[in-house]
Amino acid sequence: MLLLGIQPAMALEHSFVADVVQRVAPSVVRIDTERPVERQPFDPTLIDPLLRDLLGDPPQGPERERGQGSGVLIDNKGLVLTNAHVVERVDAVTLTLADGEQRDGQVIGTDSVTDLALVRLEGRSAPPSAPLGDSEALEVGDWAIALGTPYGLERTVTLGIVSSLHRNINSLGFSDKRLDLIQTDAAINPGNSGGPLVDAAGNVIGINTLVRSGPGAGLGFAIPINLARRVVDQLLDQGEVVHPYIGLQLVPLTARIAREHNKDPNSLVQLPERSGALVQSVLPDGPAEKAGLRRGDLVVAVADTKVPDPQVLLEVVDSARLGEPLPLHVLRQGRELTLSVKPAALAGMS
């Protein structure tokens, strides 16, 4: 007999998002960290005696700073992929699994240039790993699902789409990184860093890394999983990631910008009215200086690749072999030169 119009329970049809979460969520972990922070030296004699009586003497020694982020298990041996900024310079790492169990973690390696890191989950057994997808197969408009622990709220899931691909991180104000990011409108907040961005089939396509605040807020960014695979391989094989560099600070130049510059009667130099990567400065004792590059040179090609902007040159350099000559085609004061530069390893980044 039905009471008060209550209908018999019916099986609910869950969305594809629920299916993805059921598949991937067991592989997502919360990462809690501690790092020492040195206090600024302070002369206790400068404290008012009345305040000392009320508050006591200031604490001595280093403080402990706590941090939090997310990570995702990528193999059955307890290897966790996360952001470098989550676990850099920490001396204690605790991983909280999806079932609430807490275990210690050991940082295997970090790479600040790509903001990626590996942490080993301590213990004999590990939860199932998340399947890794192919970020090169993504199209703008594909579904994107972000999992992680924003603001300490565990097992949080947000849904959006891939808003853009190959978003250069330098355009977001990070000049010390080398990343083409996946842009998404899936909500990514503090604490999501290091968690997975997943496609509609439940495959990890990226590692959440940052959200833009202020103007343009609501835009999230993730590191493509194909790049993460390469970084993982190098960290496991070599303990560090080698990034070739040539020692140039570059700005984009177009024919239009050059024409406007050249019309200015106060211009100190005339720029070639072509697109390319304009050398703004040359790092002292770097490979580019040794090869003869100067401020004001315009790089228009590298090897057989045209250089319409600095990003193309940086991509070629990043995939170049260390110490092997790389020909740069340069315009200098109306002359075209070919200079040979030998990329070197960027020091102090691993």
Side-chain angles (χ1 to χ4, degrees):
M1 184 174 83
L2 298 179
L3 299 176
L4 302 177
I6 299 175
Q7 299 297 320
M10 298 179 64
L12 294 176
E13 286 193 16
H14 296 293
S15 71
F16 74 94
V17 179
D19 294 335
V20 167
V21 172
Q22 188 173 14
R23 182 182 185 188
V24 180
S27 307
V28 180
V29 301
R30 190 184 81 199
I31 302 177
D32 292 282
T33 61
E34 288 190 14
R35 54 169 59 89
V37 179
E38 290 293 336
R39 278 182 168 274
Q40 292 294 328
F42 189 84
D43 186 354
T45 61
L46 298 179
I47 299 180
D48 184 276
L50 177 60
L51 289 179
R52 183 184 288 113
D53 291 340
L54 292 173
L55 304 176
D57 291 324
Q60 302 295 320
E63 291 183 335
R64 306 291 296 176
E65 180 184 75
R66 291 180 172 84
Q68 192 173 88
S70 305
V72 59
L73 284 148
I74 59 171
D75 74 356
N76 57 8
K77 298 180 181 178
L79 199 62
V80 175
L81 183 59
T82 186
N83 284 151
H85 73 260
V86 172
V87 296
E88 280 180 320
R89 297 181 297 278
V90 302
D91 55 10
V93 178
T94 302
L95 304 180
T96 302
L97 307 183
D99 62 3
E101 180 186 0
Q102 291 189 331
R103 296 196 202 173
D104 291 335
Q106 178 187 2
V107 179
I108 301 299
T110 64
D111 179 47
S112 61
V113 175
T114 58
D115 194 26
L116 290 167
L118 282 177
V119 177
R120 180 79 69 186
L121 176 68
E122 301 290 347
R124 293 185 178 181
S125 62
S129 61
L132 305 185
D134 180 5
S135 51
E136 288 300 318
L138 290 176
E139 297 285 349
V140 173
D142 284 345
W143 289 112
I145 305 166
L147 294 87
T149 311
Y151 301 110
L153 302 174
E154 297 180 55
R155 297 178 293 280
T156 295
V157 179
T158 56
L159 174 67
I161 62 169
V162 174
S163 305
S164 183
L165 296 168
H166 306 293
R167 186 68 75 193
N168 187 355
I169 195 171
N170 297 144
S171 66
L172 301 172
F174 295 85
S175 59
D176 59 338
K177 309 292 182 187
R178 291 189 189 178
L179 287 173
D180 280 339
L181 299 170
I182 300 168
Q183 180 181 322
T184 178
D185 65 349
I188 296 175
N189 294 293
N192 267 123
S193 292
L197 187 70
V198 182
D199 64 16
N203 299 311
V204 178
I205 54 174
I207 299 299
N208 303 324
T209 186
L210 60 92
V211 61
R212 178 169 182 145
S213 58
L219 301 179
F221 299 90
I223 303 165
I225 196 61
N226 289 16
L227 171 61
R229 288 176 190 264
R230 297 195 294 270
V231 171
V232 166
D233 290 341
Q234 289 194 54
L235 287 176
L236 290 176
D237 294 342
Q238 306 170 25
E240 62 178 358
V241 181
V242 176
H243 295 281
Y245 90 109
I246 57 176
L248 291 176
Q249 185 175 2
L250 304 164
V251 293
L253 182 71
T254 64
R256 180 178 178 179
I257 293 174
R259 281 194 295 270
E260 293 177 354
H261 170 87
N262 293 338
K263 289 177 183 178
D264 187 347
N266 297 316
S267 298
L268 299 177
V269 295
Q270 292 291 294
L271 297 175
E273 296 181 2
R274 288 181 58 179
S275 295
L278 185 66
V279 178
Q280 191 173 43
S281 64
V282 182
L283 186 68
D285 298 322
E289 185 185 66
K290 294 175 182 176
L293 276 95
R294 303 176 188 171
R295 175 183 168 90
D297 286 347
L298 181 68
V299 182
V300 295
V302 51
D304 298 324
T305 303
K306 291 184 178 180
V307 176
D309 55 58
Q311 185 61 29
V312 173
L313 176 57
L314 292 175
E315 289 173 0
V316 174
V317 170
D318 204 39
S319 61
R321 293 181 178 273
L322 298 178
E324 291 194 4
L326 191 64
L328 299 183
H329 304 287
V330 174
L331 295 182
R332 177 186 295 168
Q333 298 177 352
R335 296 182 300 139
E336 185 162 350
L337 308 173
T338 299
L339 302 175
S340 180
V341 61
K342 296 180 180 180
L346 189 61
M349 286 297 178
S350 294

